[in-house]
Amino acid sequence: MKKELYGKTTDGKDVFQYTVTNKNGMEMTVMDFGAILLNVIVPDKNGAKKDVVLACDSMETYRVNGCYFGSTIAPSANRIADAEVTIDGIRYQLDVNDNENNLHTNFPNGMNKRIWNAEETENGVRFTFVLDDMEYNLPGRRELAVTYTLTDDNEICIDYEGDSDKNTVINPTNHTYFNLDGHTSNNILNQKLLLHASNYTPVRAGSIPTGEIASVKGTPFDFTEWKTIGEEIDEDVEQLKLTGGYDHNFVVDNYDGTVKEIAQARSEETGIVLTVLSDLPGVQFYAGNYINGEKGKEEMVYGKRSGFCLETQYYPDSVHHANFPSVIFGPERPFRSTTIFKFGV
């Protein structure tokens, strides 16, 4: 474990980054600002080291971070229609920040822009934060925790905890963008993807789910067998035109609340394979359609589709669809979840 000063917030608080290296030479770097994943360095098929995640270039850029590079999104990820939710008969108005909807809880002061408490563990870091009742206009004193662990099996394990003294919305995710050719490569269109998801949740304008759970068969959303990301991304299909490409929630097959493989991605160029395991019912596949000239590390400028996200989570806008798994957690239902990003060649 190596702890280093990353920078300072606008009010002068120190921000620290933590680098963990395993026996195989794989590295993971996280920081306490936003509980953000900064670097993932893995060996490719020739033994060369590749950093396979996109990241901002400085604290100044992270203060904006419009693409949410590497961010922990909490307490509520993804979209909520009309920026409102009713819990136990009480209506709560959320931040209106994505047309008339709510996206990722809060943009100017979200959890990805606050300093979490950090505790070094044997092979990682545990970040914690306490939200007071009605912070972000949601009820409950919420104790949140995100633990990153790097194993000798080249796994980044992300364990989430959420405890609240009132029923509330808890649906966190990690918003890391991967490029298995290396983050300095132009785009991810030639990389291949496999999703263990026979269904997805179509959206209407504003990327809000309609409530339908639709089969992917015969559509560009079918990744049940290996397919290049760019093969059908620009097809003349209404669902793709609504979101500028892939940016949809996929319904995990045979969901039972246990940690299991839900997706794989691979690069033919580097030979690097990413396997995603999760105990959650959904995964948002986002192909970076709206990345546009973002300043990245190593003097990179990231463009459209230069990284993809596989955001494990409950379905977007679940609060308005009784047929979706519930995202209401509280005293009788604490939130616990694990996501694993495993790398190999």
Side-chain angles (χ1 to χ4, degrees):
M1 174 77 69
K2 181 168 64 174
K3 179 181 178 181
E4 300 172 287
L5 182 68
Y6 182 86
K8 291 181 180 290
T9 61
T10 51
D11 56 358
K13 294 179 180 178
D14 290 340
V15 172
F16 291 97
Q17 67 177 36
Y18 302 80
T19 300
V20 185
T21 305
N22 71 8
K23 69 178 184 180
N24 308 310
M26 178 178 166
E27 292 183 17
M28 169 189 77
T29 303
V30 294
M31 70 173 171
D32 54 14
F33 183 81
I36 285 172
L37 182 61
L38 291 170
N39 304 315
V40 175
I41 299 174
V42 297
D44 68 9
K45 61 185 179 183
N46 299 314
K49 296 293 184 67
K50 294 285 187 180
D51 189 343
V52 295
V53 301
L54 277 54
C56 296
D57 68 333
S58 64
M59 273 304 303
E60 180 181 1
T61 314
Y62 272 116
R63 292 186 193 111
V64 180
N65 195 10
C67 292
Y68 295 89
F69 291 134
S71 295
T72 294
I73 309 295
S76 178
N78 219 311
R79 291 172 173 83
I80 294 179
D82 301 320
E84 62 85 26
V85 57
T86 298
I87 303 171
D88 296 334
I90 300 173
R91 180 182 179 275
Y92 298 91
Q93 180 65 55
L94 307 180
D95 187 35
V96 180
N97 62 8
D98 187 53
N99 298 312
E100 68 274 19
N101 307 310
N102 176 263
L103 174 64
H104 297 331
T105 304
N106 184 282
F107 182 73
N109 193 37
M111 293 300 299
N112 64 311
K113 296 179 181 178
R114 303 175 75 171
I115 294 180
W116 296 56
N117 295 316
E119 176 188 354
E120 296 181 26
T121 62
E122 184 176 356
N123 299 302
V125 185
R126 185 173 190 262
F127 296 110
T128 57
F129 202 102
V130 177
L131 290 173
D132 293 329
D133 186 34
M134 292 309 297
E135 276 199 78
Y136 300 130
N137 289 340
L138 284 168
R141 181 183 185 275
R142 288 145 290 166
E143 299 178 2
L144 305 175
V146 180
T147 304
Y148 290 90
T149 304
L150 176 62
T151 75
D152 284 333
D153 291 325
N154 286 3
E155 297 172 329
I156 294 175
C157 301
I158 308 177
D159 293 299
Y160 300 92
E161 304 167 51
D163 294 284
S164 176
D165 62 1
K166 296 179 181 178
N167 286 334
T168 192
V169 176
I170 301 180
N171 186 22
T173 195
N174 180 277
H175 209 297
T176 292
Y177 291 76
F178 297 98
N179 187 325
L180 302 182
D181 291 340
H183 83 99
T184 58
S185 299
N186 289 329
N187 61 61
I188 45 82
L189 295 178
N190 289 326
Q191 292 165 43
K192 293 188 175 182
L193 180 67
L194 174 69
L195 295 174
H196 301 308
S198 303
N199 297 278
Y200 78 113
T201 52
V203 298
R204 57 175 172 82
S207 295
I208 299 296
T210 63
E212 179 187 7
I213 294 176
S215 173
V216 300
K217 188 174 182 180
T219 77
F221 296 90
D222 191 349
F223 286 91
T224 56
E225 295 184 357
W226 284 104
K227 184 171 70 177
T228 302
I229 291 172
E231 182 176 333
E232 297 181 293
I233 197 170
D234 290 320
E235 289 290 299
D236 186 16
V237 173
E238 182 66 17
Q239 282 295 307
L240 291 173
K241 291 192 289 186
L242 281 168
T243 53
Y246 297 114
D247 188 10
H248 292 74
N249 169 68
F250 286 76
V251 176
V252 172
D253 288 340
N254 304 313
Y255 166 68
D256 61 5
T258 63
V259 177
K260 63 178 64 176
E261 180 183 311
I262 64 166
Q264 283 192 315
R266 72 174 189 241
S267 162
E268 302 296 342
E269 179 179 327
T270 63
I272 295 172
V273 177
L274 167 64
T275 302
V276 183
L277 302 96
S278 170
D279 54 9
L280 292 174
V283 57
Q284 185 87 6
F285 169 44
Y286 173 48
N289 310 308
Y290 295 107
I291 304 173
N292 182 21
E294 301 292 332
K295 292 175 64 178
K297 57 192 174 184
E298 297 185 83
E299 301 184 349
M300 281 297 298
V301 177
Y302 300 132
K304 182 177 181 178
R305 297 172 179 164
S306 54
F308 66 86
C309 301
L310 292 168
E311 304 160 65
T312 59
Q313 57 194 262
Y314 283 85
Y315 309 166
D317 199 37
S318 288
V319 295
H320 293 126
H321 301 284
N323 60 320
F324 288 3
S326 174
V327 293
I328 304 301
F329 294 85
E332 305 301 319
R333 190 191 181 204
F335 184 93
R336 298 290 185 272
S337 182
T338 296
T339 292
I340 299 171
F341 297 122
K342 182 173 183 177
F343 295 88
V345 290

